[in-house]
Amino acid sequence: MTRKANVKHFEDKLSELDSLVKQLESNQLSLEDALKAFEKGIKLSNDCQTVLTQAEQKVQILLEDQNGERLKTFNPETNQ
């Protein structure tokens, strides 16, 4: 997945999470639907957190290598 696709994917998930929060805050959902929305929201939140953690790690790699040395290759699957 390209960097732009990752950003779009993150933004879509964040938008969907925002929508779920608004639905839950409206108190218009049945208990069953609220639980389903909450479960989906937890998954979306975890997915977004993973993307943010990977971005933070990438920034850390770049900052550590700012003295002109060769940059390390970042692999999100291995968090390196």
Side-chain angles (χ1 to χ4, degrees):
M1 193 177 288
T2 67
R3 186 169 35 139
K4 284 187 179 183
N6 279 338
V7 170
K8 178 70 172 150
H9 185 67
F10 172 79
E11 290 173 352
D12 290 344
K13 285 186 181 237
L14 194 57
S15 178
E16 187 175 356
L17 180 58
D18 183 53
S19 176
L20 283 173
V21 169
K22 288 177 183 174
Q23 288 177 15
L24 288 167
E25 288 176 339
S26 74
N27 294 322
Q28 300 295 319
L29 298 175
S30 68
L31 178 58
E32 184 178 336
D33 289 340
L35 286 172
K36 286 179 185 177
F38 182 77
E39 183 178 5
K40 187 172 185 177
I42 292 295
K43 179 171 180 354
L44 289 168
S45 176
N46 289 338
D47 291 348
C48 288
Q49 185 60 47
T50 297
V51 172
L52 291 173
T53 299
Q54 291 172 353
E56 182 180 19
Q57 291 170 341
K58 179 68 172 181
V59 168
Q60 189 62 39
I61 289 169
L62 293 171
L63 290 175
E64 289 173 359
D65 290 335
Q66 67 183 348
N67 61 1
E69 296 178 12
R70 185 170 176 255
L71 297 178
K72 299 175 187 101
T73 301
F74 177 71
N75 183 348
E77 284 75 33
T78 62
N79 290 325
Q80 293 182 5

